[in-house]
Amino acid sequence: MPPPAPKRDEAQRLLALERSGLLDTPPEPDFDDIVQLAAELCGTPIALISLVDRNRQWFKANVGLSGVTETERGISFCTHAIEREGVLLVEDARADERFAFSPLVQGEPFIRFYAGASIQTEEGHSLGTLCVIDRRPRTLSEAQRRGLLGLKRQVELQIRLRTQLRQAQQRNAELEQAQERMRSLNSYLQMEMRERQRMERQMQDQQTLISSVLAHIPHSVFWKDCDSVFLGCNHQFARDMGVASPEEIVGRTDLEMPYLTREHADAFRRGDRAVIESGVPALGFEETIRNPDGRESWVMTSKVPLKNPDGTVRGVLGIYIDLSERRRQETVLQEAKRLVEQHAAHLEAQVCEAQARTRQLMEYSGDAVFLLDEKGRVKEVNPVAERLLGLSREQLVGTFFELLAPENEREVLGRALSDLRVRGTVRLSEQGLRSVSGGRVAFDISASLQVAGADRLLLVVGHDLTEKRRLEQQTLQNDRLASMGALAAGIAHEINNPTSYVLSNLSFLQEWRDELERELAAPGALPARVAEMLAEAKDVIAESLDGGRRIRDIVRDMRFFSHTAGEDLAPVDVHACLDFVLRMAHNALKHAAEVRKEYEEALPPVLASEGRLSQVFLNLVVNAAQAMRPEASRRHVLGVRTSREGEWVRIDISDTGHGIPPEVLPRIFDPFFTTKAAGSGSGLGLSISLSLIQKMGGDMRVRSEQGVGTTFTLLLPTREKDDSDT
């Protein structure tokens, strides 16, 4: 059973349900078809699309509950289903304490079996479920479970399409309103433009007044053209630049100012250019200038574009005020504040150090971490503990830790916790804890006593032994494979000799039969029965030769595959290696896909280990075959393509299978990561393949699209590249 999904905000979920516009709407064929398919797929008399409202569940589509449109939410199965990911499966409701006394179980429709998948929006809000119901206990096969999830996604797709259609209609209405507002805005802008032109004429009339103001304000003011050439300034700016009057500034650039460095001049010109090109003012930014006495002062600058009556920018106007004194005061205050904060932080760090270490250990540890109170009840757990036990934090908090162990191991764990309270530390090896499924999870446990003020807490860290067991099993598997390889080599050697002389004798027998037929070929000399027997013997000998050659090829491939020579790199024929692997994988491919080879002519040999390269090719081909399930609607294709890219040989192995999900793709080369069912793979194949290719000086890449297929690309150095490097 998958773990429950995290609870989402109920108010947000109800708002999403209301936005969907599905409640209390008439039946729709698209949804009716889906529930009919769900009932047929799962073999149940009842199938529903149920939307869970505040106090009720309402049926958007209904098969098998004629005349029923809704029920109370408090007694519904779907309320539980929307709180989890995947499928909520209740095989026998009367045996499930959550539902045994439900009116829906005790009375009509007498529910015994329920399977429901949560219907979610793109934002992750659960609207309801697609569920199937039976009046007798039962379960679902894996195919039915996947099918139910697939139909659930079709319901989600229909809901998204309805939402997108409604949003498109709403956008069209908003667009019409926007166009009306745009027409009104254009009229307003025209009036505004005429008013602006009038104001500009007034501004020209006031130019003399402005010049007088500029001469007396205590701030520095300047204005430039579009090339950052000064058109004018006030007396304060002229003094800042070390010249006697504003007239000496006119016609110069920042680069020609006596006391400005090249760095300052370039910075000022970049600021001018940004305002001129964007037409947007730059207000209240701080920068430095160089004074005639050589000091650098901080100033607060604002720059605005100077525009012509037609709105085009003809220059920039700037004004700044000296912030040096304020900066010095701020520096003193900041230093005092920093010292106070540093002292306060030091005190706080001393108080919270133990708690911080505990939280960091719990959040970032790769092990399961439990924080217990002095009586042994769980106060906090980290995500690793939740994942390994399949229990949420809410389910674990408040539980006595020793009750998490299997019954026959609780006494040992209880004694260890008692010792921990006295001694301060304790260790346990191979301590078992029960998972939500009832299985035993083995841990190596280290525990310590933590004192935080008046509180005495027990910190328990459990190292999961699952990966250790997996490595041990993988080592045993590798040893078995090595033994099988040696056995295969021995068997191949023993079969090779008798096969050789059987083929030799069959060839001699065929030649003898042909010579006998020629000797008896005179007209009338060969009885009809003898001629018929000779023809039949010809076919039998030909079939025997063909079978013997196939045995010889299989023996040769077995000897090649079990070859245990060193891994020194040598020139390898890629095409021969690929052909060998395709023969080895023939049985896996013949019912799964059509093989299409696109080999580039005159492909140079690569520098590789022939045995290891064959191992990589075989792993990729077998994975591709497993990804391509036979379908009646199409014939899958395994593509094998070679080409040369400069000093590299490229090999593409592609399939038309189900593809790799985007969230899984970045992890496929991680050791022990697998999406196959338990016992179907170790998760090491691709990791080992990538390591082998990199050891040969090459690289491996992958691209995949769900529903389209996957392509693995290998790049290997050519023999010529190795020679040139030498």
Side-chain angles (χ1 to χ4, degrees):
M1 177 183 296
K7 293 185 178 178
R8 304 185 183 274
D9 188 346
E10 176 64 7
Q12 293 296 324
R13 189 194 71 78
L14 291 173
L15 184 59
L17 178 59
E18 182 181 354
R19 285 199 302 265
S20 71
L22 289 170
L23 283 173
D24 300 313
T25 56
E28 296 180 54
D30 292 335
F31 293 107
D32 292 340
D33 290 344
I34 290 175
V35 295
Q36 187 65 47
L37 284 173
E40 294 175 358
L41 171 68
C42 299
T44 61
I46 302 172
L48 305 169
I49 294 177
S50 174
L51 303 178
V52 181
D53 200 354
R54 188 181 305 276
N55 298 315
R56 60 170 180 159
Q57 64 169 351
W58 179 79
F59 304 142
K60 173 62 182 174
N62 182 336
V63 169
L65 288 182
S66 178
V68 180
T69 61
E70 64 183 52
T71 64
E72 294 179 9
R73 176 178 175 174
I75 62 172
S76 70
F77 286 61
C78 297
T79 299
H80 297 267
I82 64 172
E83 295 178 353
R84 62 189 301 113
E85 300 290 343
V87 176
L88 171 63
L89 188 63
V90 180
E91 297 181 348
D92 188 352
R94 290 186 180 175
D96 192 319
E97 63 182 7
R98 296 171 297 176
F99 309 109
F101 300 102
S102 169
L104 300 178
V105 176
Q106 297 294 327
E108 282 291 334
F110 298 102
I111 297 175
R112 294 294 298 278
F113 165 80
Y114 173 91
S118 176
I119 298 170
Q120 296 183 338
T121 65
E122 290 181 289
E123 297 79 15
H125 299 299
S126 295
L127 304 183
T129 66
L130 170 63
C131 62
V132 293
I133 297 172
D134 206 337
R135 296 184 175 89
R136 59 184 180 84
R138 52 167 302 169
T139 188
L140 289 182
S141 67
E142 184 60 28
Q144 288 172 328
R145 187 190 298 260
R146 291 196 302 271
L148 186 61
L149 289 173
L151 291 175
K152 182 269 292 191
R153 290 191 288 272
Q154 291 301 312
V155 175
E156 292 172 344
L157 176 60
Q158 290 296 325
I159 293 174
R160 286 197 292 274
L161 292 175
R162 284 171 53 98
T163 302
Q164 291 168 2
L165 177 59
R166 188 168 61 256
Q167 290 173 347
Q169 292 170 343
Q170 183 178 355
R171 285 196 296 271
N172 289 338
E174 291 173 352
L175 181 59
E176 291 177 359
Q177 295 174 0
Q179 290 174 343
E180 182 61 31
R181 289 195 297 269
M182 184 64 71
R183 287 191 290 270
S184 300
L185 181 61
N186 287 337
S187 299
Y188 173 80
L189 289 176
Q190 290 175 359
M191 291 191 299
E192 184 70 19
M193 186 174 296
R194 289 193 292 270
E195 179 65 17
R196 184 170 182 176
Q197 290 172 350
R198 184 184 66 80
M199 293 178 64
E200 286 179 350
R201 288 193 296 270
Q202 291 180 347
M203 290 176 62
Q204 291 174 358
D205 295 338
Q206 296 175 356
Q207 185 173 4
T208 304
L209 177 61
I210 294 174
S211 299
S212 176
V213 172
L214 289 176
H216 295 90
I217 63 174
H219 307 314
S220 301
V221 183
F222 60 89
W223 54 98
K224 306 176 183 178
D225 64 13
C226 289
D227 296 322
S228 289
V229 176
F230 284 99
L231 300 175
C233 67
N234 67 351
H235 287 279
Q236 181 63 46
F237 182 80
R239 287 192 293 271
D240 290 345
M241 294 296 106
V243 298
S245 67
E247 287 75 17
E248 296 183 47
I249 296 290
V250 176
R252 294 188 180 187
T253 65
D254 293 302
L255 293 172
E256 298 170 314
M257 293 294 102
Y259 300 104
L260 289 182
T261 64
R262 179 64 181 245
E263 180 182 359
H264 282 98
D266 289 341
F268 296 156
R269 290 169 66 87
R270 286 195 299 271
D272 298 342
R273 179 57 51 193
V275 173
I276 292 170
E277 291 180 351
S278 67
V280 177
L283 305 175
F285 61 91
E286 297 183 8
E287 58 184 351
T288 60
I289 64 169
R290 191 176 183 87
N291 297 322
D293 59 4
R295 293 183 299 105
E296 284 192 350
S297 298
W298 281 95
V299 297
M300 179 181 289
T301 304
S302 294
K303 293 182 179 181
V304 297
L306 292 174
K307 296 185 178 181
N308 295 312
D310 62 357
T312 58
V313 178
R314 60 185 178 88
V316 62
L317 170 69
I319 181 171
Y320 63 81
I321 59 175
D322 194 341
L323 300 177
S324 300
E325 182 61 28
R326 194 180 82 179
R327 277 274 181 164
R328 283 191 290 272
Q329 293 176 356
E330 288 179 352
T331 301
V332 173
L333 290 174
Q334 287 292 337
E335 179 62 19
K337 180 181 177 183
R338 185 187 65 81
L339 291 175
V340 171
E341 290 177 345
Q342 183 178 8
H343 182 65
H346 179 67
L347 293 176
E348 185 178 358
Q350 289 179 329
V351 174
C352 301
E353 183 177 357
Q355 295 178 348
R357 284 199 305 268
T358 301
R359 285 196 301 270
Q360 185 177 18
L361 175 63
M362 294 185 69
E363 291 297 327
Y364 300 107
S365 173
D367 295 328
V369 181
F370 303 84
L371 187 63
L372 316 179
D373 63 17
E374 191 171 8
K375 294 183 178 180
R377 289 175 298 204
V378 177
K379 290 190 65 175
E380 283 293 340
V381 295
N382 70 342
V384 176
E386 294 181 78
R387 175 176 58 81
L388 292 176
L389 298 184
L391 296 169
S392 67
R393 176 185 176 278
E394 290 75 14
Q395 293 173 300
L396 290 168
V397 170
T399 303
F400 281 98
F401 184 66
E402 60 187 87
L403 296 181
L404 297 177
E407 191 170 349
N408 60 340
E409 299 183 55
R410 289 177 186 173
E411 184 178 351
V412 174
L413 183 56
R415 285 200 305 270
L417 293 178
S418 299
D419 292 344
L420 174 61
R421 297 182 184 97
V422 177
R423 293 161 47 193
T425 60
V426 72
R427 291 180 178 273
L428 280 177
S429 298
E430 293 284 347
Q431 173 63 48
L433 297 180
R434 288 183 293 106
S435 68
V436 68
S437 62
R440 180 181 183 274
V441 183
F443 292 94
D444 280 343
I445 287 181
S446 300
S448 62
L449 181 65
Q450 304 286 312
V451 179
D455 294 333
R456 288 163 54 88
L457 304 177
L458 310 179
L459 181 64
V460 179
V461 180
H463 178 67
D464 181 23
L465 300 178
T466 304
E467 183 171 332
K468 178 181 176 182
R469 299 290 182 267
R470 185 183 296 167
L471 287 172
E472 292 173 351
Q473 292 175 1
Q474 185 62 35
T475 301
L476 292 174
Q477 178 69 7
N478 292 341
D479 292 343
R480 285 196 295 269
L481 289 175
S483 300
M484 290 176 63
L487 179 61
I491 293 173
H493 178 74
E494 293 299 327
I495 293 176
N496 190 54
N497 290 334
T499 302
S500 298
Y501 61 71
V502 167
L503 284 173
S504 176
N505 289 341
L506 285 172
S507 298
F508 172 74
L509 184 60
Q510 185 181 47
E511 294 173 0
W512 179 82
R513 193 214 67 84
D514 293 342
E515 183 179 353
L516 179 61
E517 185 177 35
R518 286 192 298 271
E519 290 294 333
L520 300 176
L526 190 62
R529 177 57 182 161
V530 174
E532 181 181 344
M533 292 174 63
L534 286 174
E536 185 177 348
K538 181 178 182 180
D539 293 338
V540 170
I541 294 172
E543 290 177 359
S544 299
L545 279 170
D546 182 62
R549 293 187 186 104
R550 291 183 62 184
I551 293 173
R552 180 191 60 196
D553 291 342
I554 291 172
V555 170
R556 183 182 64 237
D557 289 345
M558 287 176 63
R559 295 179 66 188
F560 180 83
F561 190 67
S562 61
H563 184 59
T564 57
E567 297 184 9
D568 294 338
L569 302 185
V572 175
D573 184 344
V574 172
H575 291 165
C577 198
L578 284 169
D579 289 340
F580 156 70
V581 167
L582 291 174
R583 288 196 304 272
M584 290 288 293
H586 174 71
N587 286 335
L589 289 170
K590 64 182 179 181
H591 297 300
E594 172 190 351
V595 178
R596 294 181 184 173
K597 298 189 291 187
E598 298 181 31
Y599 289 172
E600 180 169 308
E601 296 183 1
L603 192 72
V606 299
L607 196 65
S609 166
E610 188 170 15
R612 291 306 190 187
L613 187 57
S614 298
Q615 178 183 347
V616 173
F617 287 159
L618 185 60
N619 183 56
L620 295 179
V621 169
V622 171
N623 283 351
Q626 293 173 348
M628 294 184 290
R629 301 186 183 94
E631 299 179 21
S633 58
R634 63 168 174 165
R635 174 68 171 167
H636 284 295
V637 175
L638 174 74
V640 182
R641 183 176 179 271
T642 63
S643 60
R644 180 168 184 173
E645 294 184 359
E647 298 178 336
W648 302 87
V649 167
R650 172 173 175 163
I651 304 100
D652 292 309
I653 298 177
S654 60
D655 64 67
T656 57
H658 49 69
I660 303 172
E663 66 273 13
V664 171
L665 195 60
R667 301 185 57 198
I668 62 172
F669 292 112
D670 292 350
F672 303 111
F673 177 78
T674 178
T675 59
K676 299 177 182 178
S680 299
S682 65
L684 286 170
L686 289 177
S687 175
I688 293 174
S689 296
L690 177 61
S691 176
L692 292 175
I693 292 298
Q694 289 175 341
K695 286 180 180 179
M696 299 179 207
D699 193 15
M700 183 187 296
R701 307 166 186 168
V702 61
R703 63 180 186 275
S704 184
E705 182 178 351
Q706 282 192 279
V708 176
T710 302
T711 298
F712 282 88
T713 298
L714 284 71
L715 293 174
L716 293 167
T718 63
R719 174 68 184 278
E720 291 87 339
K721 180 178 188 299
D722 179 64
D723 293 342
S724 64
D725 291 343
T726 304

